[in-house]
């Protein structure tokens, strides 16, 4: 059994040597799973919000903002030996967990939270496009939580949830 | 739990004050619930504590544990949110007590039961807020609740994002309730916006230093 590395909310971790990067119970957050299939080097970012708006992420929370997490992931993977033009990506999560009827969120810079999952997905896709990294797998949206296990040696992502069929991307 | 562990800088007397609010709220909630289910309901608040946000999924057994969550926003003199978390078994037995003849078949919980749990969350949070309102003289207005039954981590992650900027510690009021002999354990979690906790404690007569 390979080593399982937990990537918590807003974290970003990379690994090789057939480790498994995992995020448990993703709701509106998005897991960005990027890898170099040739070198078998992989990284996972647990993105919480779409934009940093000029804010620096807190220490140990490089994965917090989509616009910073994606470039950081690319950079860190290249630092440990991945080749940029071989990188591929899969994204998972971005659900909308609660439907609160008839209520507009109180004033907030984040806007209505109802769309935050979708906005996270959108923001990650924009960044990937900017950096020309192919998106080769996606399991996003819906109203249910997901657990992600990302195998660095195969690039396979196993997605499980409570009431939906387990899938492999 | 002592005042020091996991409770930021709250003193024992501040924790006591918050728990007392919980007890009074529990009294209100017991009456309301018992009227709704037409059964005897005993409610108690064994514990109140301040916990770091990130530890909440651990309270109910880890991020993948299936739970029922009822979530609502608070407006009025102070703002924040409230989340009621019930472990799946507790949620199911509570729902079965309230809706004995659910027509929905299969593993998934039917609409009527979900709605009954949502209403329970609304009653419990309303009872707690009204106790808090009586004791502080502040006005709190709860929103219509949202309901989800899913992994604890996924529910928390929605709440984290919804909060945006909030205190790093949240007030967790454990509630134990017994409905006709069936024991149900829930966590009522108050997420105060920045400054809200200080206002509440000041009004309770136990201000932050």
């Amino acid at each position: 059994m390979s080593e399982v590395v937990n990537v918590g909310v807003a974290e970003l971790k990379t690994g090789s040597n057939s480790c498994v990067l995992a995020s448990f119970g993703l709701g509106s957050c998005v897991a960005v799973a990027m890898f170099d299939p040739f070198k078998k080097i992989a990284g996972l970012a647990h993105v919480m919000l779409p934009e940093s708006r000029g804010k620096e992420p807190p220490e140990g929370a490089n994965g917090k903002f989509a616009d910073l997490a994606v470039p950081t992931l690319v950079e860190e993977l290249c630092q440990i030996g991945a080749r940029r033009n071989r990188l591929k990506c899969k994204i998972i999560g971005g659900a909308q967990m609660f439907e609160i009827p008839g209520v507009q969120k109180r004033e907030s810079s984040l806007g209505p939270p109802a769309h935050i999952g979708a906005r996270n997905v959108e923001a990650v896709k924009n960044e990937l496009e900017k950096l020309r990294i192919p998106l080769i797998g996606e399991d996003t949206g819906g109203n249910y939580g997901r657990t992600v296990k990302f195998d660095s040696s195969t690039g396979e992502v196993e997605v499980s949830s409570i009431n939906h069929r387990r899938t492999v991307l | 739990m002592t005042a020091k562990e996991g409770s930021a800088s709250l003193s024992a007397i501040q924790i006591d004050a918050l728990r007392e609010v919980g007890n009074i709220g529990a009294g209100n909630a017991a009456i309301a619930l018992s009227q709704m289910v037409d059964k005897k309901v005993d409610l108690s608040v064994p514990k109140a504590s301040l916990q770091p946000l990130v530890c909440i999924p651990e309270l109910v057994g880890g991020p993948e544990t299936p739970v029922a969550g009822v979530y609502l926003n608070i407006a009025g003199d102070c703002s924040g949110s409230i989340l009621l978390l019930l472990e799946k078994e507790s949620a199911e037995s509570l729902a079965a007590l309230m809706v004995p003849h659910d027509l929905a078949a299969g593993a998934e919980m039917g609409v009527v039961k979900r709605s009954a749990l949502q209403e329970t969350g609304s009653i419990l949070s309303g009872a707690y807020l009204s106790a808090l309102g009586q004791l502080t003289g502040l006005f709190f207005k709860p929103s219509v609740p949202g309901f989800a039954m899913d992994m604890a981590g996924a529910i928390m992650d929605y709440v984290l994002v919804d909060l945006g900027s909030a205190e790093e510690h949240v007030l967790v009021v454990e509630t134990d309730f017994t409905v006709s002999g069936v024991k149900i354990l829930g966590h009522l979690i108050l997420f105060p916006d920045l400054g809200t906790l200080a206002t509440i404690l000041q009004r309770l007569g136990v201000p932050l230093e």
Side-chain angles (χ1 to χ4, degrees), chain A residues 6 9 24-30 46-49 64 95-106 108 110-111 113-114 116 120 143-147 149 160-164, chain B residues 63-67 69-75 79-81 83 88 107-108 114 118 143-155 157-165 193:
Chain A
N6 180 20
V9 179
F24 300 96
L26 287 162
S28 46
C29 288
V30 173
H46 190 145
V47 170
M48 195 176 150
L49 294 168
K64 187 168 184 179
Q96 183 185 334
M97 301 303 299
F98 285 91
E99 191 104 40
I100 303 188
V103 174
Q104 272 302 311
K105 167 80 174 137
R106 56 186 189 274
S108 150
L110 299 172
I116 199 78
N120 279 335
N143 62 351
Y144 57 94
R146 296 167 171 91
T147 280
K149 288 184 182 141
S160 47
S161 60
I162 291 177
N163 286 319
H164 295 258
Chain B
E64 281 191 290
T65 313
V67 295
V70 181
Y71 182 63
L72 43 86
N73 291 135
I74 308 164
S79 61
S81 317
L83 174 70
K88 193 169 174 251
E108 271 205 65
R114 294 169 70 99
Q118 184 170 351
S143 74
V144 180
F147 180 85
M149 197 142 182
D150 215 301
M151 300 179 188
I155 286 177
D157 142 340
Y158 173 91
V159 173
L160 280 176
V161 171
D162 185 36
L163 288 169
S165 91
D193 281 354

Side-chain angles (χ1 to χ4, degrees), chain B:
Chain B
M1 165 171 293
T2 64
K4 262 185 190 160
E5 319 167 16
S7 64
S9 52
L10 285 197
S11 66
I13 195 163
Q14 288 165 331
I15 292 280
D16 265 2
L18 292 169
R19 202 182 60 189
E20 190 48 28
V21 175
N23 276 325
I24 296 170
N28 296 349
I31 295 167
L33 266 185
S34 141
Q35 282 166 352
M36 186 168 125
V37 298
D38 199 19
K39 292 187 173 80
K40 188 174 181 305
V41 176
D42 288 312
L43 235 156
S44 68
V45 175
K47 254 199 246 168
S49 58
L50 268 199
Q51 303 271 348
L53 261 178
V54 287
C55 295
I56 301 302
E58 298 306 325
L59 288 180
V60 287
E64 281 191 290
T65 313
V67 295
V70 181
Y71 182 63
L72 43 86
N73 291 135
I74 308 164
D77 292 335
C78 282
S79 61
S81 317
I82 284 193
L83 174 70
L84 172 72
L85 284 182
L86 294 170
E87 272 152 65
K88 193 169 174 251
E89 281 93 59
S90 279
E92 275 165 355
S93 19
L94 182 60
L97 282 168
M98 291 190 286
V99 188
H101 308 292
D102 195 353
L103 295 174
E108 271 205 65
M109 193 178 272
V111 174
V112 185
K113 283 189 172 172
R114 294 169 70 99
S115 157
L117 288 175
Q118 184 170 351
E119 191 52 29
T120 309
S122 196
I123 289 173
L124 288 175
S125 0
Y128 186 79
L129 283 180
S130 81
L132 196 56
Q134 282 161 21
L135 293 172
T136 57
L138 296 166
F139 169 67
F140 299 99
K141 185 173 171 288
S143 74
V144 180
F147 180 85
M149 197 142 182
D150 215 301
M151 300 179 188
I155 286 177
M156 272 313 294
D157 142 340
Y158 173 91
V159 173
L160 280 176
V161 171
D162 185 36
L163 288 169
S165 91
E167 313 265 2
E168 280 177 14
H169 288 76
V170 296
L171 177 65
V172 178
V173 181
E174 263 180 43
T175 52
D176 242 345
F177 46 111
T178 314
V179 185
S180 334
V182 182
K183 197 167 167 126
I184 287 149
L185 179 69
H187 291 90
L188 189 68
I189 305 161
L190 177 73
F191 302 88
D193 281 354
L194 284 171
T196 292
L197 197 59
T199 312
I200 290 174
L201 288 170
Q202 196 194 2
R203 291 294 191 110
L204 290 172
V206 284
L208 287 172
E209 285 311 305

Side-chain angles (χ1 to χ4, degrees), chain A residues 47-65:
Chain A
V47 170
M48 195 176 150
L49 294 168
E51 296 147 11
S52 57
R53 301 182 187 216
K55 266 185 260 168
E56 286 284 318
E59 177 113 7
N62 281 340
K64 187 168 184 179
F65 304 110

